[in-house]
Amino acid sequence: MKYAIITGASKGLGEAIANRLIHEQIAIVSVSRSENVEIKRLAIEKGISYQHHTCNLSLEKEVQEVFMEIAHSIFQKEPEEILLFNNAGVIEPIQTIGNLDQTPIISNIQVNLIAPILITNLFFNKAQVTNTKVQVINVTSGAALRPIEGWTVYCSSKAGLNMFTQTAALEQAAMKTNNTIIAFSPGIMDTNMQETIRSSSKEAFKELEKFKDFKENNLLLKADVVADALVDLVLGGKVESGKVYNVNELLG
Ligand SMILES: NC(=O)c1ccc[n+]([C@@H]2O[C@H](COP(=O)([O-])OP(=O)(O)OC[C@H]3O[C@@H](n4cnc5c(N)ncnc54)[C@H](OP(=O)(O)O)[C@@H]3O)[C@@H](O)[C@H]2O)c1
């Protein structure tokens, strides 16, 4: 059986990925601070194995404890393959550098960068012992490649995630493992994250009006369209490890 671990499966893109994977008969392990009861209900209705783990990914100790438990429970079931979606992410703090509080800076980097590194490290380690194939999908952003004023921390954490992906892929190839690791940039989606962006201030975020226009002009992608493109890629078996994919190239 294939297992998918999805961080941030409670909302937005993560919820849409979980929804699609349930229809693909893939067992779901959801990780976030809140549980999405609709996803749970759908999994039960379709007879798909489902577990939710409550975890605050900004707290390193919780990440270690929860993912040790998940790894223990999955690897003992001798899975055919593990899909690890490091999807959870935070945009805050939106503010110019020099005017930031310390705690949100640290939380952003913990959730967007440190947690994906810790989790990937744990799963590649366990995979060595059991010879299980692990596919890692790190959800990144166009902000990893383009400096956006007011988003210093987000741009930096996502740029770090891209470099982590590319470097880990080289290592896995050199070690001749079956594992793959990619980054995926989902475009601008109509999720809670965009609401947070639109509710920031013009002083903190120079491009505020542009992002409000995206919503008003209906230019935001639907999370389920993006999730379908990503899942088609991942299940298609032709993933190029180390690549930073952009949804636009997949939607054609
Ligand atoms: N929306 C966009 O336009 C856009 C553009 C480019 C990239 N992205 C990326 O796409 C990914 C998904 O974003 P989205 O738009 O779906 O965002 P979203 O709707 O805000 O959902 C974020 C998810 O992350 C989880 N999360 C946040 N902080 C967490 C924490 N401390 N511990 C555990 N889980 C946490 C949330 O779950 P809980 O609240 O239940 O914990 C939620 O499920 C992110 O990596 C984001 O950076 C989004």
Side-chain angles (χ1 to χ4, degrees):
M1 176 168 250
K2 287 187 186 178
Y3 282 81
I5 302 155
I6 310 162
T7 68
S10 59
K11 301 181 190 105
L13 180 61
E15 175 184 15
I17 293 169
N19 197 307
R20 166 71 194 274
L21 291 176
I22 290 170
H23 288 97
E24 297 291 340
Q25 313 276 307
I26 293 176
I28 302 293
V29 180
S30 148
V31 183
S32 49
R33 290 165 301 182
S34 60
E35 182 173 17
N36 182 320
V37 290
E38 280 305 307
I39 292 293
K40 181 181 184 179
R41 190 198 50 73
L42 181 68
I44 292 169
E45 183 191 306
K46 301 276 176 199
I48 301 299
S49 163
Y50 164 91
Q51 37 175 301
H52 172 76
H53 295 258
T54 301
C55 178
N56 185 341
L57 295 165
S58 71
L59 303 175
E60 185 194 320
K61 197 165 168 279
E62 273 190 35
V63 173
Q64 295 284 12
E65 282 171 8
V66 168
F67 281 88
M68 280 299 281
E69 196 183 314
I70 293 172
H72 180 74
S73 100
I74 292 185
F75 280 98
Q76 72 177 1
K77 290 176 184 137
E78 298 180 2
E80 179 191 333
E81 187 177 351
I82 297 172
L83 311 175
L84 168 59
F85 291 86
N86 286 312
N87 160 76
V90 284
I91 181 78
E92 300 109 316
I94 301 179
Q95 186 50 271
T96 48
I97 199 83
N99 296 303
L100 288 165
D101 292 331
Q102 195 169 310
T103 306
I105 297 176
I106 295 167
S107 292
N108 178 298
I109 295 173
Q110 294 274 11
V111 175
N112 292 356
L113 180 59
I114 295 176
I117 294 176
L118 293 175
I119 302 163
T120 305
N121 180 52
L122 176 66
F123 275 75
F124 278 177
N125 178 274
K126 298 276 180 206
Q128 280 171 25
V129 183
T130 57
N131 220 9
T132 310
K133 179 176 177 176
V134 178
Q135 285 206 62
V136 178
I137 302 95
N138 291 323
V139 179
T140 182
S141 166
L145 304 174
R146 181 172 83 87
I148 299 171
E149 288 170 69
W151 293 9
T152 44
V153 185
Y154 184 72
C155 291
S156 305
S157 60
K158 292 294 189 180
L161 189 61
N162 283 9
M163 185 52 78
F164 168 66
T165 304
Q166 290 164 327
T167 312
L170 287 178
E171 293 175 355
Q172 292 300 305
M175 289 188 274
K176 298 192 179 357
T177 71
N178 290 326
N179 303 327
T180 61
I181 178 165
I182 60 166
F184 172 71
S185 183
I188 304 173
M189 297 177 292
D190 200 1
T191 64
N192 287 359
M193 186 173 279
Q194 285 296 321
E195 281 177 30
T196 306
I197 292 167
R198 289 194 300 275
S199 64
S200 63
S201 78
K202 213 171 181 164
E203 292 69 42
F205 179 44
K206 227 177 179 177
E207 298 186 22
L208 180 61
E209 287 309 316
K210 184 169 141 187
F211 276 73
K212 284 185 173 171
D213 286 349
F214 286 149
K215 175 71 176 171
E216 274 166 29
N217 297 322
N218 233 350
L219 295 174
L220 300 176
L221 291 167
K222 298 268 169 278
D224 54 356
V225 171
V226 176
D228 281 344
L230 174 58
V231 173
D232 286 345
L233 170 75
V234 171
L235 299 185
K238 289 195 180 130
V239 150
E240 198 182 310
S241 191
K243 184 168 169 177
V244 179
Y245 286 88
N246 187 301
V247 70
N248 294 327
E249 69 184 284
L250 302 179
L251 292 177

